[in-house]
Amino acid sequence: MSMSNSISNSNSNPPDSQRSSGRMASGAFHPKGGAATSRRGSNKNNTRGFEVINGEDSSTKPLSGEAHAGPALPERTWVAKQCWGLKGIFIQPINILLVCVPIGIASGKGDWGCLPTFLLNFIAIVPLAAVLGAFTESLSAHTGQMVGGLLNATFGNAVEMIVTINAIRAGLVSVVQQSLIGSILSNLLLVLGMAFLGAGLVNKESTFNATGAGTNVSCLVLSSLALTLPTVYSYMPNATLADEVSLSRIIALVMGFVYVAFLVFQLRTHADLFTGEEAEGEEEEVDLAIVSSLVGLFATTGAVAYCSEFLVDSIEGVSKEYGLPYAFIGLILLPIVGNAAEHTTAVTAAYKGMMDLALGVAVGSSTQIALFVVPFSVIVGWIYDVPMTLNFQAFDATVFLLSVFIASGILGDGVANWFEGLMLCSTYAIVAIITWYIPEAGDAHRMLSANVTAVPPSIFV
Protein backbone atom coordinates (compact mmCIF):
# COMPACT_ATOMS: atom_id res chain seq x y z
CA MET A 1 0.00 0.00 0.00
CA SER A 2 1.30 3.43 -0.89
CA MET A 3 1.91 6.10 1.66
CA SER A 4 -0.91 8.28 0.31
CA ASN A 5 -3.41 5.42 0.53
CA SER A 6 -2.32 4.66 4.08
CA ILE A 7 -2.77 8.25 5.10
CA SER A 8 -6.13 8.50 3.39
CA ASN A 9 -7.47 5.38 5.07
CA SER A 10 -6.24 6.35 8.51
CA ASN A 11 -7.94 9.72 8.22
CA SER A 12 -11.22 8.54 6.75
CA ASN A 13 -14.37 9.86 8.34
CA PRO A 14 -15.97 7.67 11.01
CA PRO A 15 -19.27 5.93 10.33
CA ASP A 16 -22.42 8.00 10.36
CA SER A 17 -23.66 6.24 13.47
CA GLN A 18 -20.76 7.75 15.40
CA ARG A 19 -21.70 11.20 14.15
CA SER A 20 -25.33 10.86 15.12
CA SER A 21 -26.75 11.39 18.53
CA GLY A 22 -27.05 8.59 20.99
CA ARG A 23 -26.16 7.11 24.28
CA MET A 24 -22.79 5.57 24.90
CA ALA A 25 -22.63 1.84 24.55
CA SER A 26 -22.74 1.45 28.30
CA GLY A 27 -26.20 2.95 28.45
CA ALA A 28 -25.02 5.39 31.11
CA PHE A 29 -25.41 8.50 29.05
CA HIS A 30 -28.62 9.72 27.56
CA PRO A 31 -27.77 12.19 24.80
CA LYS A 32 -30.60 12.50 22.31
CA GLY A 33 -28.76 14.60 19.80
CA GLY A 34 -25.29 14.70 18.37
CA ALA A 35 -22.98 17.36 19.68
CA ALA A 36 -20.34 18.59 17.30
CA THR A 37 -17.12 16.88 18.28
CA SER A 38 -13.70 16.26 16.84
CA ARG A 39 -11.97 12.95 17.40
CA ARG A 40 -8.23 12.99 18.01
CA GLY A 41 -6.33 10.86 15.55
CA SER A 42 -3.26 8.78 16.18
CA ASN A 43 -1.84 9.35 12.69
CA LYS A 44 1.27 11.53 13.01
CA ASN A 45 0.84 12.69 9.42
CA ASN A 46 -2.40 14.40 10.39
CA THR A 47 -1.16 17.94 10.81
CA ARG A 48 -4.41 19.19 12.31
CA GLY A 49 -4.73 16.32 14.78
CA PHE A 50 -8.48 15.93 14.36
CA GLU A 51 -11.25 15.13 11.91
CA VAL A 52 -14.53 16.92 11.58
CA ILE A 53 -17.31 14.60 12.63
CA ASN A 54 -20.49 16.50 11.81
CA GLY A 55 -19.59 17.57 8.33
CA GLU A 56 -16.77 18.24 5.94
CA ASP A 57 -14.88 21.46 5.44
CA SER A 58 -12.05 21.85 3.01
CA SER A 59 -10.33 24.16 5.48
CA THR A 60 -10.33 21.62 8.31
CA LYS A 61 -10.25 18.20 6.69
CA PRO A 62 -6.71 16.71 6.60
CA LEU A 63 -5.27 16.41 3.13
CA SER A 64 -3.82 13.22 1.71
CA GLY A 65 -0.65 12.49 -0.20
CA GLU A 66 1.72 15.29 -1.00
CA ALA A 67 -0.37 17.91 0.82
CA HIS A 68 0.99 16.66 4.12
CA ALA A 69 4.44 17.87 3.24
CA GLY A 70 3.31 21.49 3.56
CA PRO A 71 3.15 23.58 6.73
CA ALA A 72 0.50 22.88 9.38
CA LEU A 73 -2.73 24.77 9.06
CA PRO A 74 -3.53 27.26 11.84
CA GLU A 75 -5.86 26.19 14.64
CA ARG A 76 -9.40 27.49 14.52
CA THR A 77 -10.30 30.39 16.80
CA TRP A 78 -12.65 29.98 19.78
CA VAL A 79 -15.48 31.70 17.94
CA ALA A 80 -14.97 29.49 14.89
CA LYS A 81 -15.17 26.38 17.07
CA GLN A 82 -18.42 27.57 18.65
CA CYS A 83 -19.94 28.31 15.24
CA TRP A 84 -18.80 24.92 13.95
CA GLY A 85 -20.24 23.18 17.01
CA LEU A 86 -23.59 24.93 16.67
CA LYS A 87 -23.64 24.09 12.97
CA GLY A 88 -23.18 20.41 13.81
CA ILE A 89 -26.14 20.56 16.21
CA PHE A 90 -28.63 22.58 14.18
CA ILE A 91 -27.82 21.58 10.59
CA GLN A 92 -29.67 18.27 10.82
CA PRO A 93 -32.65 17.11 8.70
CA ILE A 94 -34.97 16.72 11.69
CA ASN A 95 -34.39 20.32 12.76
CA ILE A 96 -36.46 21.64 9.87
CA LEU A 97 -39.36 20.92 12.24
CA LEU A 98 -38.12 23.70 14.54
CA VAL A 99 -40.28 26.03 12.48
CA CYS A 100 -43.21 24.57 14.44
CA VAL A 101 -41.85 25.98 17.74
CA PRO A 102 -42.90 29.63 17.25
CA ILE A 103 -46.05 28.59 15.38
CA GLY A 104 -47.03 26.19 18.18
CA ILE A 105 -46.48 28.87 20.82
CA ALA A 106 -48.54 31.33 18.79
CA SER A 107 -51.27 28.71 18.48
CA GLY A 108 -51.41 28.22 22.24
CA LYS A 109 -51.42 31.95 23.00
CA GLY A 110 -53.84 32.81 20.18
CA ASP A 111 -56.38 30.12 21.04
CA TRP A 112 -56.40 28.55 17.58
CA GLY A 113 -58.16 25.46 18.89
CA CYS A 114 -57.10 22.36 20.77
CA LEU A 115 -56.19 20.22 17.73
CA PRO A 116 -53.83 22.72 15.98
CA THR A 117 -52.24 23.52 19.34
CA PHE A 118 -51.76 19.83 20.14
CA LEU A 119 -50.32 18.91 16.74
CA LEU A 120 -48.00 21.92 16.36
CA ASN A 121 -46.50 21.64 19.84
CA PHE A 122 -46.33 17.85 19.53
CA ILE A 123 -44.22 18.21 16.36
CA ALA A 124 -42.17 21.08 17.82
CA ILE A 125 -40.95 19.06 20.80
CA VAL A 126 -39.51 16.31 18.56
CA PRO A 127 -36.56 18.38 17.18
CA LEU A 128 -36.22 20.22 20.49
CA ALA A 129 -35.58 16.87 22.17
CA ALA A 130 -32.79 16.15 19.68
CA VAL A 131 -31.20 19.57 20.19
CA LEU A 132 -31.50 19.25 23.97
CA GLY A 133 -29.72 15.91 23.85
CA ALA A 134 -26.95 17.36 21.70
CA PHE A 135 -26.24 20.17 24.17
CA THR A 136 -26.38 17.67 27.03
CA GLU A 137 -23.83 15.44 25.31
CA SER A 138 -21.56 18.41 24.66
CA LEU A 139 -21.71 19.53 28.30
CA SER A 140 -21.17 15.99 29.59
CA ALA A 141 -17.97 15.69 27.55
CA HIS A 142 -16.43 18.45 29.70
CA THR A 143 -17.09 16.55 32.94
CA GLY A 144 -16.09 13.22 34.44
CA GLN A 145 -18.09 10.06 33.93
CA MET A 146 -20.09 10.33 37.16
CA VAL A 147 -21.08 13.96 36.60
CA GLY A 148 -21.72 13.23 32.92
CA GLY A 149 -23.98 10.34 33.83
CA LEU A 150 -25.98 12.50 36.22
CA LEU A 151 -26.24 15.29 33.62
CA ASN A 152 -27.52 12.89 31.00
CA ALA A 153 -29.94 11.29 33.45
CA THR A 154 -31.34 14.74 34.26
CA PHE A 155 -31.30 16.68 30.99
CA GLY A 156 -31.38 13.62 28.74
CA ASN A 157 -34.85 12.92 30.11
CA ALA A 158 -35.77 16.60 30.36
CA VAL A 159 -38.66 16.31 27.87
CA GLU A 160 -40.33 13.53 29.86
CA MET A 161 -39.69 15.37 33.13
CA ILE A 162 -41.07 18.70 31.89
CA VAL A 163 -44.19 17.05 30.45
CA THR A 164 -44.57 15.21 33.77
CA ILE A 165 -44.38 18.43 35.80
CA ASN A 166 -46.93 20.25 33.62
CA ALA A 167 -49.32 17.30 33.56
CA ILE A 168 -49.17 16.83 37.34
CA ARG A 169 -49.82 20.53 37.86
CA ALA A 170 -52.89 20.11 35.64
CA GLY A 171 -54.03 17.12 37.71
CA LEU A 172 -53.60 14.65 34.82
CA VAL A 173 -52.12 11.89 36.95
CA SER A 174 -53.30 9.04 34.72
CA VAL A 175 -51.79 10.73 31.65
CA VAL A 176 -48.45 11.02 33.48
CA GLN A 177 -48.53 7.36 34.51
CA GLN A 178 -49.41 6.18 31.02
CA SER A 179 -46.83 8.40 29.30
CA LEU A 180 -44.05 7.08 31.57
CA ILE A 181 -45.06 3.47 30.96
CA GLY A 182 -45.38 4.30 27.27
CA SER A 183 -41.84 5.73 27.13
CA ILE A 184 -40.48 2.52 28.65
CA LEU A 185 -42.49 0.34 26.29
CA SER A 186 -41.58 2.31 23.15
CA ASN A 187 -37.87 1.98 23.94
CA LEU A 188 -37.98 -1.60 25.17
CA LEU A 189 -40.27 -2.99 22.47
CA LEU A 190 -40.47 -0.69 19.44
CA VAL A 191 -36.97 0.84 19.38
CA LEU A 192 -35.20 -2.37 20.37
CA GLY A 193 -37.31 -4.40 17.93
CA MET A 194 -36.62 -2.06 15.01
CA ALA A 195 -32.93 -2.07 15.91
CA PHE A 196 -32.87 -5.87 15.71
CA LEU A 197 -34.73 -5.73 12.39
CA GLY A 198 -32.26 -3.18 11.03
CA ALA A 199 -29.31 -5.33 12.10
CA GLY A 200 -31.00 -8.37 10.55
CA LEU A 201 -31.03 -6.70 7.14
CA VAL A 202 -27.23 -6.74 7.15
CA ASN A 203 -26.22 -9.74 9.25
CA LYS A 204 -27.83 -13.08 9.96
CA GLU A 205 -26.98 -12.69 13.63
CA SER A 206 -25.50 -9.81 15.64
CA THR A 207 -23.79 -10.07 19.00
CA PHE A 208 -23.84 -7.59 21.86
CA ASN A 209 -22.69 -7.23 25.46
CA ALA A 210 -25.12 -9.54 27.29
CA THR A 211 -23.69 -8.63 30.71
CA GLY A 212 -24.44 -4.92 30.39
CA ALA A 213 -27.86 -5.58 28.89
CA GLY A 214 -28.62 -8.08 31.66
CA THR A 215 -27.85 -5.54 34.38
CA ASN A 216 -30.23 -3.03 32.80
CA VAL A 217 -32.93 -5.68 32.54
CA SER A 218 -32.44 -6.56 36.21
CA CYS A 219 -33.10 -2.91 37.07
CA LEU A 220 -36.26 -3.03 34.95
CA VAL A 221 -37.41 -6.14 36.82
CA LEU A 222 -36.97 -4.23 40.09
CA SER A 223 -38.94 -1.31 38.65
CA SER A 224 -41.77 -3.57 37.49
CA LEU A 225 -41.91 -5.00 41.00
CA ALA A 226 -42.04 -1.48 42.47
CA LEU A 227 -44.99 -0.62 40.20
CA THR A 228 -46.87 -3.91 40.38
CA LEU A 229 -46.95 -4.32 44.17
CA PRO A 230 -48.55 -0.90 44.91
CA THR A 231 -51.10 -1.66 42.18
CA VAL A 232 -51.95 -5.00 43.80
CA TYR A 233 -52.05 -3.33 47.21
CA SER A 234 -54.72 -0.89 45.99
CA TYR A 235 -57.12 -3.83 45.47
CA MET A 236 -56.73 -5.08 49.04
CA PRO A 237 -59.66 -4.56 51.45
CA ASN A 238 -59.58 -1.32 53.43
CA ALA A 239 -56.72 0.13 51.34
CA THR A 240 -56.99 3.91 51.26
CA LEU A 241 -55.61 6.60 48.99
CA ALA A 242 -53.64 8.01 51.91
CA ASP A 243 -51.87 4.67 52.38
CA GLU A 244 -51.16 4.42 48.65
CA VAL A 245 -49.61 7.89 48.63
CA SER A 246 -47.38 7.19 51.65
CA LEU A 247 -46.35 3.80 50.29
CA SER A 248 -45.53 5.24 46.86
CA ARG A 249 -43.37 8.02 48.28
CA ILE A 250 -41.32 5.59 50.36
CA ILE A 251 -40.80 3.28 47.37
CA ALA A 252 -39.88 6.26 45.16
CA LEU A 253 -37.07 7.19 47.55
CA VAL A 254 -35.79 3.61 47.48
CA MET A 255 -35.88 3.55 43.66
CA GLY A 256 -33.97 6.84 43.51
CA PHE A 257 -31.29 5.43 45.80
CA VAL A 258 -31.01 2.31 43.63
CA TYR A 259 -30.53 4.45 40.53
CA VAL A 260 -27.69 6.42 42.11
CA ALA A 261 -26.08 3.12 43.15
CA PHE A 262 -26.55 1.84 39.60
CA LEU A 263 -24.67 4.86 38.23
CA VAL A 264 -21.80 4.18 40.61
CA PHE A 265 -21.79 0.51 39.62
CA GLN A 266 -21.94 1.30 35.91
CA LEU A 267 -19.53 4.21 35.72
CA ARG A 268 -17.12 3.62 38.56
CA THR A 269 -16.77 0.18 40.14
CA HIS A 270 -17.73 -2.09 37.22
CA ALA A 271 -17.33 0.16 34.19
CA ASP A 272 -15.52 -2.59 32.27
CA LEU A 273 -18.71 -4.68 32.17
CA PHE A 274 -20.52 -2.03 30.15
CA THR A 275 -17.87 -1.11 27.57
CA GLY A 276 -18.79 -2.02 24.02
CA GLU A 277 -16.11 -2.94 21.52
CA GLU A 278 -16.95 -0.05 19.22
CA ALA A 279 -16.50 2.45 22.07
CA GLU A 280 -12.96 1.42 22.94
CA GLY A 281 -9.98 3.57 21.96
CA GLU A 282 -12.01 6.67 21.11
CA GLU A 283 -11.23 10.09 22.50
CA GLU A 284 -13.43 13.02 21.62
CA GLU A 285 -12.66 16.71 21.60
CA VAL A 286 -15.74 18.87 21.94
CA ASP A 287 -15.97 22.06 19.93
CA LEU A 288 -18.60 23.76 22.09
CA ALA A 289 -17.29 25.34 25.29
CA ILE A 290 -19.03 24.86 28.64
CA VAL A 291 -20.58 28.34 28.49
CA SER A 292 -22.02 27.75 25.02
CA SER A 293 -23.34 24.33 26.03
CA LEU A 294 -25.01 25.74 29.16
CA VAL A 295 -26.64 28.62 27.30
CA GLY A 296 -27.96 26.28 24.61
CA LEU A 297 -29.09 23.76 27.21
CA PHE A 298 -31.15 26.20 29.26
CA ALA A 299 -32.57 27.98 26.21
CA THR A 300 -33.75 24.70 24.72
CA THR A 301 -35.14 23.54 28.07
CA GLY A 302 -37.18 26.75 28.27
CA ALA A 303 -38.57 26.18 24.79
CA VAL A 304 -39.50 22.59 25.66
CA ALA A 305 -41.24 23.75 28.85
CA TYR A 306 -43.23 26.36 26.93
CA CYS A 307 -44.35 23.97 24.19
CA SER A 308 -45.11 21.12 26.60
CA GLU A 309 -47.38 23.38 28.66
CA PHE A 310 -49.54 24.13 25.62
CA LEU A 311 -49.40 20.46 24.62
CA VAL A 312 -50.65 19.24 28.00
CA ASP A 313 -53.37 21.90 28.17
CA SER A 314 -54.76 20.73 24.82
CA ILE A 315 -54.92 17.00 25.64
CA GLU A 316 -58.32 17.06 27.33
CA GLY A 317 -59.92 19.06 24.51
CA VAL A 318 -58.50 16.78 21.80
CA SER A 319 -59.74 13.70 23.63
CA LYS A 320 -63.27 15.05 24.13
CA GLU A 321 -63.78 16.76 20.77
CA TYR A 322 -62.12 14.21 18.50
CA GLY A 323 -62.58 10.97 20.43
CA LEU A 324 -58.89 10.26 20.87
CA PRO A 325 -58.59 7.94 23.90
CA TYR A 326 -56.60 9.20 26.87
CA ALA A 327 -54.83 5.84 27.08
CA PHE A 328 -53.70 6.06 23.45
CA ILE A 329 -52.42 9.63 23.93
CA GLY A 330 -50.50 8.66 27.06
CA LEU A 331 -49.13 5.25 26.14
CA ILE A 332 -48.47 5.77 22.43
CA LEU A 333 -48.42 9.41 21.26
CA LEU A 334 -46.67 11.31 24.07
CA PRO A 335 -43.69 8.89 24.25
CA ILE A 336 -42.99 9.64 20.58
CA VAL A 337 -42.28 13.26 21.53
CA GLY A 338 -39.24 12.49 23.65
CA ASN A 339 -38.00 9.38 21.85
CA ALA A 340 -38.06 10.24 18.14
CA ALA A 341 -34.36 11.10 17.95
CA GLU A 342 -33.45 7.99 19.93
CA HIS A 343 -35.41 5.79 17.53
CA THR A 344 -33.33 6.97 14.60
CA THR A 345 -30.07 6.64 16.51
CA ALA A 346 -30.72 3.07 17.67
CA VAL A 347 -31.82 1.76 14.29
CA THR A 348 -28.96 3.46 12.45
CA ALA A 349 -26.39 2.17 14.94
CA ALA A 350 -27.74 -1.38 14.72
CA TYR A 351 -27.71 -1.25 10.92
CA LYS A 352 -24.05 -0.18 11.07
CA GLY A 353 -23.27 -3.11 13.37
CA MET A 354 -22.95 -1.08 16.59
CA MET A 355 -25.29 -3.23 18.65
CA ASP A 356 -24.00 -2.11 22.05
CA LEU A 357 -24.76 1.50 21.18
CA ALA A 358 -28.25 0.53 19.97
CA LEU A 359 -28.94 -1.37 23.19
CA GLY A 360 -27.56 1.50 25.23
CA VAL A 361 -30.13 3.79 23.65
CA ALA A 362 -33.10 1.42 23.89
CA VAL A 363 -32.61 -0.57 27.11
CA GLY A 364 -30.56 2.09 28.90
CA SER A 365 -33.23 4.73 28.29
CA SER A 366 -35.93 2.41 29.65
CA THR A 367 -33.86 1.89 32.79
CA GLN A 368 -33.40 5.62 33.32
CA ILE A 369 -37.10 6.34 32.98
CA ALA A 370 -38.10 3.44 35.25
CA LEU A 371 -35.58 4.15 38.04
CA PHE A 372 -35.22 7.92 37.72
CA VAL A 373 -38.19 9.64 36.04
CA VAL A 374 -40.91 7.49 37.66
CA PRO A 375 -39.79 8.23 41.24
CA PHE A 376 -39.18 11.83 40.15
CA SER A 377 -42.85 12.08 39.17
CA VAL A 378 -43.92 10.88 42.62
CA ILE A 379 -41.70 13.51 44.26
CA VAL A 380 -43.16 16.21 41.99
CA GLY A 381 -46.65 15.16 43.08
CA TRP A 382 -45.45 15.38 46.67
CA ILE A 383 -44.22 18.95 46.09
CA TYR A 384 -47.45 20.09 44.40
CA ASP A 385 -49.62 18.16 46.88
CA VAL A 386 -51.08 15.99 44.12
CA PRO A 387 -51.60 12.28 44.94
CA MET A 388 -49.24 10.88 42.32
CA THR A 389 -48.85 7.23 43.29
CA LEU A 390 -47.19 4.11 41.94
CA ASN A 391 -50.61 2.53 41.47
CA PHE A 392 -50.37 2.44 37.67
CA GLN A 393 -53.60 0.44 37.36
CA ALA A 394 -53.85 -3.22 36.42
CA PHE A 395 -53.49 -2.90 32.63
CA ASP A 396 -50.43 -0.59 32.66
CA ALA A 397 -48.60 -2.58 35.35
CA THR A 398 -49.35 -5.89 33.62
CA VAL A 399 -48.13 -4.64 30.24
CA PHE A 400 -44.94 -3.33 31.82
CA LEU A 401 -44.28 -6.60 33.66
CA LEU A 402 -44.88 -8.78 30.59
CA SER A 403 -42.79 -6.51 28.35
CA VAL A 404 -39.83 -6.77 30.72
CA PHE A 405 -40.33 -10.53 30.74
CA ILE A 406 -40.19 -10.90 26.94
CA ALA A 407 -37.27 -8.46 26.64
CA SER A 408 -35.25 -10.34 29.27
CA GLY A 409 -35.78 -13.59 27.39
CA ILE A 410 -34.61 -12.09 24.11
CA LEU A 411 -31.57 -10.28 25.55
CA GLY A 412 -30.34 -13.17 27.66
CA ASP A 413 -28.21 -14.92 25.02
CA GLY A 414 -26.30 -11.89 23.73
CA VAL A 415 -27.32 -12.61 20.12
CA ALA A 416 -29.88 -10.69 18.03
CA ASN A 417 -31.69 -11.63 14.82
CA TRP A 418 -34.51 -10.21 12.74
CA PHE A 419 -37.16 -12.60 14.07
CA GLU A 420 -36.59 -11.45 17.65
CA GLY A 421 -37.02 -7.89 16.44
CA LEU A 422 -40.27 -8.85 14.75
CA MET A 423 -41.57 -10.35 17.99
CA LEU A 424 -40.78 -7.17 19.93
CA CYS A 425 -42.45 -4.92 17.34
CA SER A 426 -45.49 -7.20 17.21
CA THR A 427 -45.81 -7.00 20.98
CA TYR A 428 -45.79 -3.21 20.79
CA ALA A 429 -48.41 -3.26 18.02
CA ILE A 430 -50.70 -5.43 20.18
CA VAL A 431 -50.35 -3.02 23.10
CA ALA A 432 -51.10 -0.02 20.84
CA ILE A 433 -54.25 -1.68 19.46
CA ILE A 434 -55.55 -2.51 22.93
CA THR A 435 -54.99 1.02 24.23
CA TRP A 436 -57.25 2.37 21.48
CA TYR A 437 -60.11 0.26 22.86
CA ILE A 438 -59.67 1.02 26.58
CA PRO A 439 -63.01 2.48 27.77
CA GLU A 440 -62.94 6.19 28.42
CA ALA A 441 -64.98 5.80 31.59
CA GLY A 442 -62.11 3.96 33.24
CA ASP A 443 -59.69 6.71 32.29
CA ALA A 444 -62.04 9.43 33.50
CA HIS A 445 -62.40 7.65 36.82
CA ARG A 446 -58.63 7.58 37.20
CA MET A 447 -58.18 11.27 36.38
CA LEU A 448 -57.20 12.64 39.76
CA SER A 449 -57.19 16.37 40.35
CA ALA A 450 -55.38 18.36 42.97
CA ASN A 451 -58.67 18.93 44.83
CA VAL A 452 -58.91 15.52 46.50
CA THR A 453 -59.62 14.52 50.04
CA ALA A 454 -56.84 15.69 52.32
CA VAL A 455 -54.30 13.07 53.35
CA PRO A 456 -53.54 12.68 57.07
CA PRO A 457 -50.21 14.16 58.21
CA SER A 458 -47.25 11.85 57.97
CA ILE A 459 -43.51 12.04 57.41
CA PHE A 460 -44.10 10.84 53.84
CA VAL A 461 -47.21 12.93 53.15
Side-chain angles (χ1 to χ4, degrees):
M1 180 181 296
S2 65
M3 178 179 178
S4 62
N5 289 336
S6 174
I7 294 173
S8 176
N9 290 336
S10 64
N11 287 297
S12 61
N13 288 335
D16 291 340
S17 57
Q18 293 183 15
R19 305 181 199 178
S20 63
S21 62
R23 192 190 312 270
M24 290 180 62
S26 65
F29 296 114
H30 190 105
K32 295 184 179 179
T37 60
S38 303
R39 182 164 293 116
R40 290 289 178 183
S42 59
N43 184 5
K44 296 181 179 179
N45 292 318
N46 186 342
T47 58
R48 292 299 305 275
F50 64 88
E51 314 177 85
V52 176
I53 302 301
N54 284 310
E56 296 185 356
D57 189 347
S58 59
S59 65
T60 58
K61 186 176 179 181
L63 302 176
S64 60
E66 294 76 12
H68 283 281
L73 296 176
E75 286 288 341
R76 292 177 296 174
T77 64
W78 185 88
V79 175
K81 286 186 177 181
Q82 306 316 298
C83 294
W84 186 261
L86 292 174
K87 175 185 176 182
I89 291 176
F90 286 101
I91 307 301
Q92 302 292 338
I94 193 174
N95 288 338
I96 193 174
L97 298 177
L98 288 173
V99 69
C100 294
V101 174
I103 300 177
I105 294 175
S107 174
K109 284 186 169 294
D111 195 19
W112 295 1
C114 58
L115 185 60
T117 301
F118 179 85
L119 291 177
L120 287 170
N121 287 283
F122 180 90
I123 297 172
I125 294 179
V126 173
L128 284 175
V131 173
L132 184 64
F135 282 120
T136 304
E137 181 184 4
S138 176
L139 183 62
S140 299
H142 291 285
T143 64
Q145 282 191 326
M146 282 299 299
V147 177
L150 291 173
L151 283 172
N152 279 286
T154 304
F155 290 100
N157 292 301
V159 173
E160 291 87 347
M161 294 165 67
I162 292 172
V163 172
T164 293
I165 293 173
N166 288 326
I168 289 178
R169 289 175 58 191
L172 302 178
V173 173
S174 67
V175 172
V176 172
Q177 293 174 329
Q178 290 165 350
S179 66
L180 293 177
I181 292 292
S183 293
I184 297 173
L185 296 182
S186 71
N187 281 293
L188 197 60
L189 298 177
L190 181 62
V191 178
L192 186 61
M194 293 184 66
F196 280 12
L197 284 173
L201 296 176
V202 181
N203 302 308
K204 182 178 180 180
E205 288 186 341
S206 301
T207 59
F208 54 86
N209 182 359
T211 303
T215 306
N216 279 281
V217 170
S218 298
C219 291
L220 289 173
V221 172
L222 171 64
S223 301
S224 64
L225 182 72
L227 268 61
T228 303
L229 292 183
T231 302
V232 174
Y233 172 82
S234 68
Y235 289 95
M236 296 180 65
N238 302 322
T240 64
L241 177 61
D243 293 335
E244 291 181 34
V245 171
S246 298
L247 180 67
S248 298
R249 290 171 181 175
I250 297 172
I251 296 176
L253 295 176
V254 175
M255 293 172 67
F257 172 77
V258 171
Y259 183 71
V260 173
F262 175 63
L263 285 180
V264 175
F265 179 83
Q266 186 180 49
L267 300 175
R268 184 75 65 181
T269 63
H270 292 72
D272 56 307
L273 299 179
F274 297 88
T275 303
E277 293 181 359
E278 64 267 13
E280 296 177 354
E282 294 181 359
E283 181 183 354
E284 291 187 349
E285 178 193 357
V286 181
D287 284 328
L288 280 182
I290 295 180
V291 175
S292 302
S293 301
L294 283 173
V295 171
L297 188 65
F298 287 111
T300 309
T301 301
V304 171
Y306 219 29
C307 292
S308 67
E309 184 175 357
F310 292 125
L311 175 69
V312 170
D313 291 341
S314 64
I315 288 177
E316 189 171 359
V318 169
S319 179
K320 289 181 178 180
E321 293 185 22
Y322 298 93
L324 200 61
Y326 273 112
F328 189 81
I329 294 175
L331 278 171
I332 305 302
L333 291 185
L334 288 184
I336 296 176
V337 171
N339 297 333
E342 289 180 308
H343 292 193
T344 305
T345 298
V347 176
T348 303
Y351 184 80
K352 298 288 185 180
M354 303 175 67
M355 290 302 299
D356 287 311
L357 175 60
L359 263 71
V361 173
V363 184
S365 178
S366 298
T367 303
Q368 286 186 342
I369 294 172
L371 282 182
F372 179 75
V373 184
V374 170
F376 170 81
S377 68
V378 176
I379 302 302
V380 171
W382 193 351
I383 294 173
Y384 284 101
D385 197 23
V386 175
M388 173 68 193
T389 71
L390 294 177
N391 175 11
F392 275 50
Q393 303 302 318
F395 175 77
D396 299 340
T398 302
V399 168
F400 181 28
L401 186 64
L402 294 178
S403 299
V404 173
F405 172 76
I406 187 174
S408 63
I410 288 177
L411 295 173
D413 57 357
V415 178
N417 56 64
W418 68 266
F419 184 68
E420 291 177 337
L422 180 63
M423 286 192 293
L424 292 171
C425 292
S426 299
T427 304
Y428 188 79
I430 292 172
V431 173
I433 293 171
I434 294 176
T435 57
W436 184 267
Y437 287 93
I438 292 180
E440 285 301 305
D443 285 329
H445 178 72
R446 299 203 304 261
M447 293 285 290
L448 301 175
S449 65
N451 300 321
V452 296
T453 305
V455 181
S458 167
I459 187 174
F460 294 104
V461 176

